[in-house]
Amino acid sequence: MTRLIYPLLMAALCACSGNASGGSAAEAVHSDPETAPIAAAFDADSAYSYVERQVNFGPRVPGTAPHKACAEFIAAELTRHGADTVTRQKASVTAFDGTVLPIDNIMARFNTSAPRRVLIAAHYDTRPWADNEPDPEKRFTPIPGANDGASGVGVILELARIIGRQTPPVGVDFLLVDAEDYGYSPEISEAYCHDSDRTWCLGTQYWATHNPYTETDRPAYGILLDMVGGTGAKFYREYTSDAYARNIVDLVWSTAAASPYADRFINARGGALVDDHLFINAAGIPTIDIVECYEGGFSPTWHTHADDMAHIDRSTLKAVGQTVCDVIYGESASIK
C-alpha cells in the first residue's frame, strides 16, 4: 500500500460507491438486548503458526512458485475448516511497469443460509521490492512479508477454524486478495507514474468490478486486516474508514474498548491510506481498515527485509483477532 490518498481518487471512489457511507453503514451496527453474545476464543498460537507457514513458502510475489503454493494452502485450509464454498477468481492484471500479473483472489463463505453477512478481507501477496530497506543492495529483492501480507491472512485462517467449529449468528465471507503490493513508488522506479494510487490493490480492483454480490445479498459491512501482527502495534481510526463507514469503526473500536485490548485500539484518527478497503467500498460494501499506522508513517519493518517472523507478536494477533471475533459473534441473526 502507499501512504497518501489523492483528492481526485477519493472523489472518484465516493462517486462509485454511491451511498455506501450512508444508509448501509448506518444499518451495520446492531445489538439485541434479549440475546447474549456467543463467546468464542481466538487462539493466537494458531494464528502465529498460520503466519509462519506462509512466510516459510518464501516471498509470495504474483507469478512465482511460492505465491502459487501459498494460494493453494489458503484455499485448502478454508475448505478443511468447513467453508460452504471456496471460489478462486483467476485473471490477469497489468502492473504500472507493464508486467502482466496472474492473480488469484480466493473467497470462502461460511453459514450461507444466514440472511445477514459480514466480509473479512486481507491480501496475501508480498512486495517484490524492499523500498525502505537500509541496505541499497537489497532494495530490489522481495520482502518476507510476515506482517505486510501474512498477518492478516493468519488471523483470517484462525477465524475460519473457529467459525467452522462454532457457527456464528451471521454469515461470514472471507476474501483473500492478490496483487495488493505491486504498486508504484519512486524508490523503485524513476519513471513518472500518473495516478500512482491506482497501481496498488490490483486484485481488489479487479474483484470490485467482478464480485459475486447483488444489491440484495451484499454483506452489511466489511473489515480489512492489514499489518495486524507487528510487535507492540497499535491501531488508529484510519481516516478514510471514518469517511466511508464511521459506524463500523465505532463498532470495532467500542468492542475493543470493552475488552483487555483497549490499549491497542486508539480512539483517535490516523492517516489516510490507499488500501484494499477503498475499492471494496467502491463496490458498495462499507468497509474499514484495521491497519498499523501512525501519523508519522508505518512500522520500521515496513517494506524492508526485517518484515519477518522475528517481528511478529502473538499478543498483537490476539488483540486484533479476538476483537474481530467478538464483533462477529456479537452480531444479531434476526436483523438483515
Side-chain angles (χ1 to χ4, degrees):
M1 82 191 67
T2 189
R3 174 67 176 155
L4 298 176
I5 184 165
Y6 298 132
L8 287 177
L9 177 62
M10 278 289 290
L13 289 172
C14 286
C16 291
S17 61
N19 65 357
S21 63
S24 296
E27 296 164 3
V29 180
H30 296 298
S31 62
D32 186 347
E34 297 180 359
T35 305
I38 303 170
F42 184 90
D43 187 335
D45 288 332
S46 175
Y48 183 92
S49 175
Y50 276 129
V51 176
E52 187 172 47
R53 290 171 76 177
Q54 293 171 80
V55 172
N56 286 344
F57 286 117
R60 282 83 63 208
V61 177
T64 65
H67 175 276
K68 181 178 180 181
C70 186
E72 296 297 331
F73 165 70
I74 291 168
E77 285 300 291
L78 292 167
T79 299
R80 185 171 74 89
H81 291 318
D84 295 331
T85 62
V86 176
T87 58
R88 309 275 289 272
Q89 184 185 62
K90 298 188 178 185
S92 295
V93 296
T94 302
F96 72 91
D97 60 358
T99 301
V100 177
L101 303 173
I103 62 168
D104 187 356
N105 294 326
I106 305 166
M107 189 169 182
R109 307 188 76 188
F110 288 77
N111 193 18
T112 51
S113 62
R116 179 171 169 83
R117 313 196 62 74
V118 298
L119 176 70
I120 312 295
H123 77 91
Y124 71 93
D125 64 300
T126 54
R127 184 79 168 148
W129 311 284
D131 313 36
N132 291 334
E133 177 62 42
D135 183 351
E137 294 186 0
K138 295 181 178 179
R139 286 182 190 152
F140 288 86
T141 55
I143 66 171
N147 194 26
D148 192 1
S151 66
V153 178
V155 169
I156 280 179
L157 291 178
E158 169 57 11
L159 288 172
R161 186 190 69 82
I162 294 167
I163 291 169
R165 297 184 176 190
Q166 184 175 341
T167 303
V170 293
V172 180
D173 295 346
F174 293 115
L175 175 63
L176 293 308
V177 291
D178 204 354
E180 187 267 0
D181 237 342
Y182 213 100
Y184 167 86
S185 75
E187 289 81 10
I188 52 90
S189 177
E190 295 180 353
Y192 172 75
C193 181
H194 175 69
D195 199 7
S196 61
D197 288 344
R198 289 189 179 273
T199 67
W200 300 81
C201 311
L202 298 178
T204 309
Q205 290 188 59
Y206 183 89
W207 179 88
T209 57
H210 300 83
N211 73 80
Y213 299 119
T214 67
E215 290 285 347
T216 59
D217 68 358
R218 286 176 183 159
Y221 60 88
I223 299 173
L224 173 67
L225 307 175
D226 197 357
M227 298 194 292
V228 292
T231 303
K234 295 183 184 295
F235 304 93
Y236 286 74
R237 299 170 64 110
E238 190 268 335
Y239 185 93
T240 50
S241 299
D242 259 354
Y244 280 120
R246 181 173 299 174
N247 283 9
I248 314 307
V249 181
D250 290 342
L251 171 62
V252 173
W253 263 248
S254 64
T255 300
S259 78
Y261 315 109
D263 63 328
R264 296 300 193 107
F265 286 78
I266 309 303
N267 194 30
R269 182 168 286 177
L273 308 181
V274 173
D275 208 348
D276 294 304
H277 67 309
L278 296 183
F279 303 100
I280 300 174
N281 272 291
I285 304 168
T287 301
I288 71 166
D289 195 359
I290 300 178
V291 56
E292 181 184 7
C293 178
Y294 306 93
E295 192 58 41
F298 295 120
S299 160
T301 67
W302 179 66
H303 289 187
T304 73
H305 289 277
D307 186 5
D308 55 20
M309 290 306 300
H311 296 94
I312 294 297
D313 185 345
R314 286 176 173 84
S315 68
T316 303
L317 295 170
K318 175 68 174 180
V320 174
Q322 189 63 61
T323 298
V324 175
C325 195
D326 290 346
V327 169
I328 291 170
Y329 283 89
E331 277 284 348
S332 172
S334 62
I335 303 175
K336 293 185 179 181

